[in-house]
Amino acid sequence: MPDVAHQSVLVAALDKELAGLDSLSDAKQRLQNTLDEKRRAVVAASVMRGLDPSVPLRPSGIDWLGEIPAHWEIERSRWLFTEREQRSQTGEEEMLTVSHLTGVTPRSEKDVNMFQAESTAGYKLCFAGDLAINTLWAWMGAMGTARVNGIVSPAYNVYTPGPRLLHDYVDALVRIPVFAQAVTRYSKGVWSSRLRLYPEGFFETWWPVPPLDEQRQIVEHISTETAKIHRLRTATENSIALLKERRAALIAAAVTGQLEIPEAA
């Protein structure tokens, strides 16, 4: 128990040290936010405008899409997808979750504490490449293409892309925020938080359809650029964690008399 004067000097010195760490941590958090914005911008620009900035554009006639490369096609989704209504007989397939944050992922890879049915027999089959949409949370962007075969809740909807679309291009397009906002006009519900996107609504949506070769280039570009951003984001996360450890260590050292402060001496 140091005397009050010593405590005051200790707290002042500690505040000065922590202020520097907190300022740096805040700057790194802003960098994280900027990287997230950068990733979304790269994906959106790629799937909506393509990779060649010099290519001629034309009006798409779709509010959320705006102008698109002149050689791209525009098609209603009813001609691009078919609904999959197959059901599991045993429910033993991999259970998949559909989130606005991670898209379609195996439930085993996530920490899910929500209610689970005693039996998943009768759940909808969802094969790799299928588009799965969480009907209730579509307005938030809870949709994406599956990477593995599995099953999803019977309350969800599953669609199989036709030959004119690559499933990775589909995944990139449906997970940009502007697409989730666009599908709300085709959703049904009294309140915005209760909107549901049923098949008849989904099949009314319009899609940009680049040539398949261009879709492959877009997907590869997105993969390369997001990998760079992910590496930088991971490094930034690690440095933020180290700053938090340093902060905790300084506080512990100060209150246990292990922090050397010349003024206090």
Side-chain angles (χ1 to χ4, degrees):
M1 180 64 71
D3 58 53
V4 174
H6 189 104
Q7 290 180 39
S8 298
V9 172
L10 190 62
V11 168
L14 186 59
D15 284 347
K16 183 178 179 181
E17 292 291 330
L18 295 183
L21 292 178
D22 291 343
S23 177
L24 183 54
S25 183
D26 289 344
K28 288 182 177 293
Q29 187 58 60
R30 290 194 295 273
L31 174 59
Q32 293 282 63
N33 297 337
T34 301
L35 290 172
D36 290 339
E37 292 174 4
K38 173 68 174 178
R39 179 185 57 78
R40 289 192 291 267
V42 165
V43 176
S46 300
V47 299
M48 296 170 63
R49 296 290 185 275
L51 305 180
D52 185 358
S54 65
V55 70
L57 302 176
R58 67 177 175 88
S60 67
I62 304 172
D63 292 341
W64 67 270
L65 191 56
E67 292 187 326
I68 60 171
H71 63 285
W72 286 17
E73 296 180 341
I74 294 292
E75 190 64 87
R76 205 180 280 275
S77 57
R78 69 172 64 256
W79 310 119
L80 299 172
F81 296 86
T82 56
E83 185 179 6
R84 187 185 295 283
E85 276 286 0
Q86 295 169 272
R87 304 294 178 117
S88 170
Q89 298 298 314
T90 63
E92 296 177 354
E93 294 86 354
E94 177 86 58
M95 185 67 186
L96 305 177
T97 64
V98 185
S99 163
H100 69 289
L101 296 175
T102 56
V104 182
T105 53
R107 173 171 284 186
S108 59
E109 295 180 2
K110 303 188 71 174
D111 184 15
V112 179
N113 298 316
M114 63 186 296
F115 168 79
Q116 297 185 37
E118 292 184 5
S119 172
T120 52
Y123 274 43
K124 290 184 178 180
L125 292 175
C126 181
F127 294 102
D130 282 352
L131 170 63
I133 298 180
N134 183 327
T135 309
L136 182 60
W137 299 108
W139 62 275
M140 285 187 64
M143 58 188 90
T145 56
R147 304 297 176 184
V148 296
N149 297 338
I151 53 176
V152 297
S153 166
Y156 296 175
N157 293 109
V158 180
Y159 307 92
T160 302
R164 296 169 63 189
L165 289 173
L166 299 180
H167 62 82
D168 283 334
Y169 176 79
V170 171
D171 186 73
L173 181 61
V174 300
R175 295 184 61 196
I176 59 176
V178 68
F179 183 84
Q181 296 167 10
V183 300
T184 59
R185 65 178 295 188
Y186 303 103
S187 302
K188 293 182 178 180
V190 178
W191 296 287
S192 60
S193 60
R194 288 290 183 267
L195 291 175
R196 289 170 170 80
L197 181 64
Y198 296 113
E200 61 267 25
F202 172 74
F203 284 134
E204 290 298 310
T205 60
W206 290 88
W207 287 59
V209 185
L212 285 175
D213 285 344
E214 195 166 346
Q215 290 183 43
R216 293 188 183 92
Q217 294 171 11
I218 289 171
V219 168
E220 291 172 0
H221 173 74
I222 290 174
S223 177
T224 300
E225 293 303 310
T226 54
K228 295 176 184 176
I229 295 171
H230 178 71
R231 287 194 295 269
L232 183 53
R233 200 180 195 289
T234 299
T236 307
E237 287 176 350
N238 291 339
S239 63
I240 290 175
L242 290 173
L243 287 171
K244 289 180 178 179
E245 291 177 7
R246 173 63 177 165
R247 192 181 196 282
L250 278 173
I251 294 173
V255 300
T256 56
Q258 299 176 43
L259 185 63
E260 187 69 31
I261 301 177
E263 293 87 344

